[in-house]
Amino acid sequence: MVSRVIPVTSFDLVIFGATGDLAKRKIFPGLFRRFLAGQMPKDSQIVGAARSSLSIKTFNDLVENSIKNFIEINYHQEDLKNFLKCINYVQIDATGTNGWNELKKALRPKKTRAFYFSVSPSLFGSLAERLHNYEITTKNSRIVVEKPFGRDLKTAKELNAILAEHFTEEQIYRIDHYLGKETVQNLMAIRFGNMLFEPLWNAQYVDHIQITVSETVGVGDRGEYYDESGAMRDMVQNHLMQLLCLIAMEPPARFEPDSVRDEKLKVIRALDPVAPHHIVRGQYGPGNEHADYRTGVQNPKSKTESFVALKVNISNYRWAGVPFYLRTGKRLKARTSEIAVVFKEKPHSIFGPEAGNHQNALIIRLQPDEGITMDVTIKEPGPGGMRLIDVPLDMTFSETLGIDENTVPDAYERLIMDVIRGNQTLFMRGDEVEAAWAWTDPIIKGWIERNDVPKPYESGSSGPQDSLTLLEREGRNWRQIL
Ligand code: BG6
């Protein structure tokens, strides 16, 4: 199946931090893929802006290399040559005066303007101020900001306030790349596009929900950043929170930015504080020929968590009494992200106690191998009475839809196109980010006050034993990380 591509209007996109890792790994390759797909008009302009003094030729080489290194689809050299014609470069001093007039000159009147802040949040204020003072932004300009959006409620508020001095909320696109993932959006399609699930989507029928985002990678070369953040700030406050919101929110009236974001915000505001015994922190030790976390971050005494599991309650009419178990970690057994909605047992079994307990479960696999599985109970084939077994009704999207996974837009390229279109539905609103921090802060504060030390777990395992116990003591089990 070939997906429909609707071209966006031609644009000028300025990328601050254009020589950085995100630009190389995600932004340039993503834009090139949109170019190949015919979505990015050929007369668009991408202006790299960074501190280094680079000739256009050197910058073009950098973009070309990033495409060669990070693109897995086949393309013609001619296409790459044409794409590189859209590239421009301006050396800029983010906190000074150099380069700003040149940047202004490089931009064309009447084009949609977007400015991607792929830089440290400490520079957001300087960039916003200069864009405004040099009259580079127009009413129709947008800015895109990356996570981490603050490290607590206070810093998030400060960032929101700094940006608000020069931009309206409608101009600010806060990226959480999980919202750009195909299957994360599919969560909404599954819930609100089918009659089947929504009537069962509540405390009357759902026993509990599990959200797992497990990674095999370690901290890599981001040790310095990660050791200051940990899994709670790096993953739970944003990505897992977004998944939780989409799975738990009320149906928005329309699939429109504020309708969706209002509903997500209500979920975050309905979250109960998390009791300390409902949280497990872990830190990976050595295993699978990998060094331990502390070696990775070069901090032999680090108490930062690379794993966290927690039980969360949402105090509202729909979810009262239904636990949401969240877990995420690095250096785990497998890379897998999934949401499991586990339904309650039947009120009565006509087959008697010997038929055993059977619970239906809907598993939404986010990555890899995106798809959904519904565990249903059937009769075990053959003679010998009514024995019941659970079997999966399994649908892998790529097989069912005949999609070549390489052609599915990556989260970043989809989100950048949404910025150009001016669609904020898949971006976080300022109040949403603040509410997420307001819930996260006391958890982290509690760890600091209790001088909490994360539990060690072996690299390549499913996390610390305590995380298994978190569910077992309530008569439940995590789904296996496979
Ligand atoms: C990033 C985190 O936001 O998400 C990383 O900073 C993490 O630590 C990454 O590895 C996971 O993203 P994905 O798309 O690979 O699941």
Side-chain angles (χ1 to χ4, degrees):
M1 181 191 262
V2 182
S3 53
R4 242 172 350 123
V5 172
I6 303 166
V8 297
T9 52
S10 134
F11 57 86
D12 279 354
L13 169 66
V14 179
I15 302 166
F16 293 107
T19 53
D21 201 45
L22 183 76
K24 284 190 231 163
R25 276 189 309 115
K26 295 288 182 185
I27 304 178
F28 297 128
L31 285 165
F32 181 52
R33 282 162 54 109
R34 291 299 90 211
F35 183 84
L36 287 178
Q39 193 165 28
M40 171 183 152
K42 291 193 165 55
D43 62 340
S44 303
Q45 183 185 208
I46 301 162
V47 185
R51 210 171 9 188
S52 321
S53 149
L54 303 178
S55 65
I56 296 272
K57 161 87 178 68
T58 316
F59 186 66
N60 264 9
D61 290 348
L62 179 148
V63 175
E64 187 173 347
N65 283 335
S66 91
I67 286 168
K68 286 185 176 150
N69 291 336
F70 295 105
I71 284 234
E72 280 161 16
I73 46 173
N74 296 326
Y75 54 86
H76 297 294
Q77 281 308 314
E78 200 53 29
D79 288 326
L80 179 57
K81 243 165 87 186
N82 286 334
F83 176 73
L84 292 174
K85 285 186 193 150
C86 303
I87 305 283
N88 198 349
Y89 182 77
V90 175
Q91 181 189 4
I92 207 132
D93 180 357
T95 53
T97 52
N98 282 349
W100 291 95
N101 284 323
E102 287 73 8
L103 177 62
K104 185 173 180 176
K105 265 188 237 141
L107 302 181
R108 302 163 301 169
K110 296 199 188 131
K111 297 283 175 196
T112 301
R113 283 185 191 177
F115 301 89
Y116 200 126
F117 290 11
S118 179
V119 293
S120 152
S122 60
L123 294 177
F124 286 3
S126 318
L127 293 180
E129 195 178 22
R130 281 163 181 73
L131 284 172
H132 176 82
N133 291 351
Y134 283 86
E135 295 175 354
I136 297 174
T137 43
T138 58
K139 259 200 186 143
N140 196 22
S141 298
R142 293 114 214 225
I143 58 163
V144 185
V145 292
E146 267 296 328
K147 74 175 261 264
F149 199 83
R151 52 177 287 108
D152 52 21
L153 177 59
K154 182 171 167 284
T155 47
K157 277 189 170 168
E158 284 164 8
L159 283 179
N160 275 336
I162 286 172
L163 297 180
E165 278 178 33
H166 303 294
F167 298 97
T168 63
E169 183 60 33
E170 288 66 39
Q171 292 179 296
I172 305 172
Y173 289 70
R174 296 176 195 78
I175 283 206
D176 181 315
H177 79 278
Y178 264 56
L179 289 177
K181 287 183 190 275
E182 183 75 17
T183 31
V184 173
Q185 292 168 62
N186 225 334
L187 276 179
M188 285 181 274
I190 290 169
R191 280 195 62 192
F192 305 125
N194 293 290
M195 192 56 205
L196 198 59
F197 301 118
E198 204 46 30
L200 307 178
W201 216 260
N202 54 53
Q204 195 181 346
Y205 295 101
V206 174
D207 177 73
H208 73 278
I209 292 183
Q210 302 184 9
I211 303 181
T212 298
V213 177
S214 128
E215 298 185 275
T216 49
V217 291
V219 291
D221 51 14
R222 297 160 72 229
E224 201 182 325
Y225 150 77
Y226 194 89
D227 205 36
E228 287 293 312
S229 305
M232 194 69 196
R233 288 192 175 97
D234 185 52
M235 295 294 287
V236 178
Q237 185 272 345
N238 38 77
H239 305 327
L240 274 85
M241 178 68 82
Q242 290 297 324
L243 298 180
L244 175 69
C245 285
L246 296 180
I247 207 84
M249 71 185 185
E250 294 301 314
R254 269 174 285 281
F255 188 59
E256 282 174 2
D258 280 336
S259 297
V260 173
R261 297 186 300 178
D262 285 347
E263 295 307 334
K264 288 198 292 170
L265 182 61
K266 284 185 209 160
V267 174
I268 304 175
R269 291 198 172 143
L271 292 176
D272 284 349
V274 185
H277 65 285
H278 286 156
I279 312 174
V280 178
R281 294 171 84 214
Q283 190 186 73
Y284 61 82
N288 270 356
E289 296 177 18
H290 293 297
D292 65 339
Y293 173 86
R294 291 178 177 184
T295 308
V297 299
Q298 296 175 10
N299 177 2
K301 293 192 179 146
S302 172
K303 286 194 244 161
T304 303
E305 77 287 353
S306 60
F307 175 98
V308 65
L310 56 167
K311 176 182 166 184
V312 174
N313 288 313
I314 303 176
S315 277
N316 66 15
Y317 224 91
R318 185 188 283 260
W319 295 117
V322 178
F324 286 71
Y325 300 104
L326 275 45
R327 75 179 154 168
T328 182
K330 294 202 182 286
R331 283 269 186 262
L332 296 176
K333 210 170 175 178
R335 178 174 187 252
T336 171
S337 301
E338 64 166 44
I339 298 174
V341 181
V342 181
F343 291 92
K344 289 192 168 160
E345 284 187 31
K346 296 152 297 300
H348 165 72
S349 169
I350 64 166
F351 306 109
E354 58 281 9
N357 298 330
H358 297 273
Q359 284 172 277
N360 298 125
L362 175 71
I363 320 299
I364 303 160
R365 291 192 304 276
L366 304 176
Q367 62 188 24
D369 202 18
E370 292 95 338
I372 54 176
T373 302
M374 182 83 204
D375 286 348
V376 291
T377 305
I378 61 164
K379 176 187 171 298
E380 192 178 330
M386 188 58 107
R387 291 187 307 272
L388 302 183
I389 51 167
D390 293 336
V391 290
L393 281 177
D394 199 348
M395 179 172 82
T396 300
F397 294 145
S398 58
E399 274 171 27
T400 312
L401 303 174
I403 292 173
D404 171 0
E405 283 197 36
N406 282 326
T407 63
V408 176
D410 170 77
Y412 276 94
E413 59 196 85
R414 176 191 308 273
L415 293 174
I416 295 172
M417 291 299 108
D418 278 358
V419 172
I420 305 299
R421 275 199 208 98
N423 186 344
Q424 287 188 307
T425 311
L426 300 175
F427 295 82
M428 293 177 298
R429 213 167 50 192
D431 51 2
E432 204 183 331
V433 179
E434 288 183 13
W437 280 121
W439 176 79
T440 312
D441 275 1
I443 298 176
I444 297 176
K445 194 163 161 255
W447 293 337
I448 296 167
E449 281 168 3
R450 293 193 300 278
N451 201 13
D452 190 83
V453 180
K455 302 276 178 329
Y457 62 94
E458 196 182 331
S459 282
S461 69
S462 302
Q465 174 59 37
D466 284 16
S467 131
L468 307 181
T469 315
L470 179 71
L471 270 74
E472 281 164 8
R473 67 180 178 222
E474 301 185 346
R476 302 186 173 104
N477 289 300
W478 285 111
R479 285 176 46 82
Q480 285 200 23
I481 295 179
L482 293 173

